[in-house]
């Protein structure tokens, strides 16, 4: 393990002298600061460029100026960029204890790095970091606007964007954590071609749609793609801050590189729930209709074609607070309209723990539909680490090992409010011993919005 990762591009991409560096940073930040709304909330994530400051610094500054009101509150920065020099598959964690900068060393959050290494396709690879500029150029900007913070440096090689999304989800944290994704846009086109190409890229990013992005449009398309997938899942709002190219800032116009900056904001709690809660009457009505169809005709109700989007739901039946049936989908593999009617029918008639529902039982049962977020693999060193990460009342949990698997919805915390008790009962549900744990033990967590019939 390297104690301190030294700078690789200081004196080339940005000044190596601390005083000169601060003057250049201030020259970039001052105009951006003047454009920032006084009451603007800090973003949860940024997408910003990584070229030499003379070229991309003003564009990057439009993002970094937004962080100054959060100085002293943001304590950890998860920084991910593409690999330009070392080809590899996966995501590389830095093994250093700290990163050097002309403005002083920045500590690496080793605990988070070690947790992330437990995820698929994540490992330690210092040679991927040694000469890589896509992360390094962001560090002085972060120091200038945040002061002290800990860094989680991640270089993305060839890796599916769903892996990127899982890593970012695992490191998401709360308001103390900022996510920064590093990318430039098109490379070495003439000025007009660059503007046209970058306009298409901006449209895709603004739509949170990574599908159209290619490597020629954004060198960081892989980390950007994972971020956009996660942003869509978490209902983040995105704002395009600045889009320019080197022909606009400091270079000729015959062969330019494009740059863009975006801020992503978490929704307010009420806003986040509204799109889902608006579905509640329809989902509950469909579930009820499917059960009534089962009682009358022995088959579920038809799927609702007005809900074509993928969705994963659990349907639960209770009598006097006691479970009478619960069946669902842990992941979205079909349309929401199909999933709710099928799982409602199965909860009533196909749950192996109970006999099929009889007509005389239907009256007086309570019905709920839980809409699930995609499960995210958890990284943990041991069972104590896993327990410490669980959020009572928030997390649903899926565990699996040695061919055994079980799931608890977040609502189970109402009956099992203590973490160790929650996990022990889930192990028992999976057919595992209460004290079972192994190197192959896996856990994924998810959230759910529960909708109950009146």
């Amino acid at each position: 393990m390297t104690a301190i990762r030294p700078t690789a591009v200081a004196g080339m991409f940005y000044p190596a002298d601390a005083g000169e560096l601060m003057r250049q940073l201030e020259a970039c930040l001052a105009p951006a600061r003047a454009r920032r709304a006084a009451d603007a909330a800090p973003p949860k994530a940024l997408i910003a460029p990584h070229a030499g400051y003379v070229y991309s610094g003003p564009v990057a500054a439009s993002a970094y100026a937004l962080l100054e009101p959060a100085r002293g509150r943001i304590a950890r920065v998860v920084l991910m960029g593409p690999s330009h020099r070392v080809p590899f598959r996966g995501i590389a964690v830095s093994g250093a204890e700290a990163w050097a900068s002309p403005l002083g060393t920045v500590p690496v959050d080793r605990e988070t790095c070690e947790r992330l290494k437990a995820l698929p396709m994540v490992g330690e690879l210092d040679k991927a970091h040694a000469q890589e500029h896509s992360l390094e150029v962001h560090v002085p900007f972060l120091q200038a606007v945040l002061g002290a913070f800990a860094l989680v440096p991640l270089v993305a090689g060839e890796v599916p964007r769903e892996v990127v999304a899982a890593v970012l989800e695992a490191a998401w944290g709360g308001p103390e954590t900022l996510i920064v994704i590093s990318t430039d846009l098109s490379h070495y086109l003439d000025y007009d071609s660059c503007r046209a190409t970058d306009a298409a890229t901006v449209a895709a990013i603004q739509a949170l749609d990574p599908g159209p992005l290619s490597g020629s449009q954004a060198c960081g398309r892989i980390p950007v793609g994972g971020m956009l997938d996660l942003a869509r899942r978490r209902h983040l709002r995105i704002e395009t801050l600045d889009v320019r190219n080197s022909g606009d800032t400091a270079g000729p116009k015959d062969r330019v590189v494009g740059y863009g900056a975006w801020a992503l904001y978490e929704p307010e709690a009420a806003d986040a729930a509204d799109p889902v809660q608006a579905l509640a009457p329809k989902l509950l009505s469909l579930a009820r209709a499917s059960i009534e169809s089962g009682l009358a005709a022995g088959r579920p109700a038809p799927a609702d074609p007005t809900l074509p989007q993928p969705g994963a739901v659990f349907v639960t039946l209770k009598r006097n607070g006691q479970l009478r049936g619960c069946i669902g989908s842990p992941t979205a593999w079909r349309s929401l309209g199909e999933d709710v009617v099928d799982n409602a029918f199965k909860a009533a008639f196909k749950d192996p723990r109970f006999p099929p529902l009889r007509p005389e039982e239907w009256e007086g049962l309570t019905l709920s539909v839980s809409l699930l977020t995609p499960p995210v693999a958890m990284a943990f060193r041991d069972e104590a680490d896993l327990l410490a990460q669980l959020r009572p009342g928030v997390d649903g949990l899926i565990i699996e090992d040695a061919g055994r698997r079980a799931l608890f919805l977040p609502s189970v915390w109402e009956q099992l409010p203590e973490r160790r008790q929650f996990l022990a009962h889930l192990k028992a549900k999976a057919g595992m011993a209460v004290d079972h744990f192994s190197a192959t033990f896996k856990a994924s967590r998810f959230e759910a919005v529960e909708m109950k019939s009146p």
Side-chain angles (χ1 to χ4, degrees):
M1 181 180 290
T2 305
I4 297 178
R5 186 259 188 200
T7 61
V9 294
M12 294 182 286
F13 280 61
Y14 59 88
D17 176 77
E20 185 182 352
L21 175 56
M22 281 303 300
R23 286 189 290 272
Q24 186 168 23
L25 288 168
E26 181 60 26
C28 292
L29 287 165
R33 191 182 295 126
R35 297 192 300 269
R36 185 188 72 220
D39 58 348
K44 175 62 183 182
L46 299 174
I47 301 173
H50 54 237
Y53 286 3
V54 66
Y55 300 109
S56 69
V59 179
S62 67
Y64 283 115
L66 300 175
L67 302 179
E68 289 183 317
R71 187 183 184 98
R73 284 184 285 160
I74 293 176
R76 180 175 65 165
V77 177
V78 179
L79 175 59
M80 183 183 291
S83 179
H84 289 87
R85 294 177 176 271
V86 178
F88 68 99
R89 286 184 55 77
I91 296 175
V93 172
S94 170
E97 294 287 343
W99 275 38
S101 161
L103 303 182
T105 58
V106 177
V108 170
D109 181 349
R110 291 300 330 155
E111 181 179 356
T112 298
C113 288
E114 293 303 315
R115 282 202 300 109
L116 296 180
K117 284 163 59 178
L119 294 174
M121 298 190 74
V122 182
E124 192 172 298
L125 187 64
D126 279 326
K127 69 178 183 179
H129 289 269
Q131 298 299 316
E132 182 55 58
H133 65 277
S134 70
L135 305 188
E136 181 182 321
V137 297
H138 291 280
V139 173
F141 265 112
L142 289 162
Q143 290 175 293
V145 297
L146 294 181
F149 64 94
L151 184 67
V152 181
L154 304 167
V155 174
E158 285 298 319
V159 62
R161 67 178 191 250
E162 55 266 28
V163 173
V164 173
V167 169
L168 295 177
E169 179 79 73
W172 194 257
E176 81 292 337
T177 300
L178 170 75
I179 311 291
V180 178
I181 304 297
S182 177
T183 190
D184 291 339
L185 304 182
S186 63
H187 282 56
Y188 310 130
L189 302 176
D190 64 81
Y191 185 84
D192 291 335
S193 297
C194 172
R195 284 174 58 87
T197 299
D198 290 351
T201 304
V202 170
I205 292 175
Q206 186 66 47
L208 301 180
D209 180 14
L213 297 182
S214 68
S216 63
Q217 289 178 273
C219 58
R221 68 177 179 85
I222 291 174
V224 169
M227 181 71 249
L228 296 182
D229 279 348
L230 187 56
R232 189 171 59 253
R233 190 188 314 162
R234 282 181 163 267
H235 306 291
L236 267 61
R237 174 177 63 86
I238 190 168
E239 179 182 352
T240 301
L241 303 171
D242 195 0
V243 181
R244 282 185 269 178
N245 62 56
S246 56
D248 298 314
T249 51
K253 295 184 182 293
D254 59 333
R255 196 165 180 262
V256 305
V257 177
Y259 314 114
W262 290 265
L264 295 102
Y265 296 88
E266 290 190 293
E268 297 292 335
D271 293 341
D274 282 347
V276 174
Q277 291 297 346
L279 291 173
K282 177 174 283 191
L283 293 180
L284 289 166
S285 176
L286 286 171
R288 183 172 292 277
S290 194
I291 294 171
E292 291 173 349
S293 175
L295 290 170
R299 59 177 180 269
D304 188 335
T306 67
L307 296 172
Q309 66 270 35
V313 302
F314 268 71
V315 178
T316 304
L317 299 173
K318 290 184 178 181
R319 177 178 294 279
N320 299 325
Q322 299 300 309
L323 187 66
R324 178 55 181 84
C326 182
I327 296 289
S329 304
T331 58
W333 62 279
R334 56 185 170 181
S335 74
L336 182 56
E338 293 176 280
D339 206 57
V340 67
V341 295
D342 186 49
N343 286 330
F345 178 82
K346 289 177 178 174
F349 305 104
K350 301 292 185 180
D351 189 329
R353 297 167 292 182
F354 302 95
L357 186 70
R358 301 187 307 273
E360 60 269 24
E361 290 184 275
W362 180 223
E363 189 66 32
L365 287 185
T366 60
L367 169 70
S368 66
V369 176
S370 297
L371 184 60
L372 277 57
T373 63
V376 175
M378 299 179 68
F380 46 88
R381 296 184 302 274
D382 50 31
E383 183 170 312
D385 188 21
L386 169 60
L387 290 169
Q389 294 181 50
L390 289 179
R391 298 172 295 177
V394 176
D395 289 333
L397 190 64
I398 304 169
I399 60 170
E400 52 187 311
D401 197 16
R404 299 180 182 273
R405 191 171 190 266
L407 175 150
F408 270 169
L409 293 171
S411 57
V412 176
W413 289 103
E414 296 173 10
Q415 288 78 45
L416 303 170
E418 196 273 320
R419 290 183 176 92
R420 191 171 298 278
Q421 181 189 33
F422 184 91
L423 181 58
H425 278 74
L426 185 54
K427 286 180 182 179
K429 182 180 179 182
M432 302 175 189
V434 170
D435 60 352
H436 174 80
F437 197 82
S438 76
T440 57
F441 190 93
K442 296 179 181 178
S444 301
R445 62 179 165 190
F446 60 90
E447 298 178 34
V449 177
E450 186 178 17
M451 295 157 267
K452 296 182 180 180
S453 60

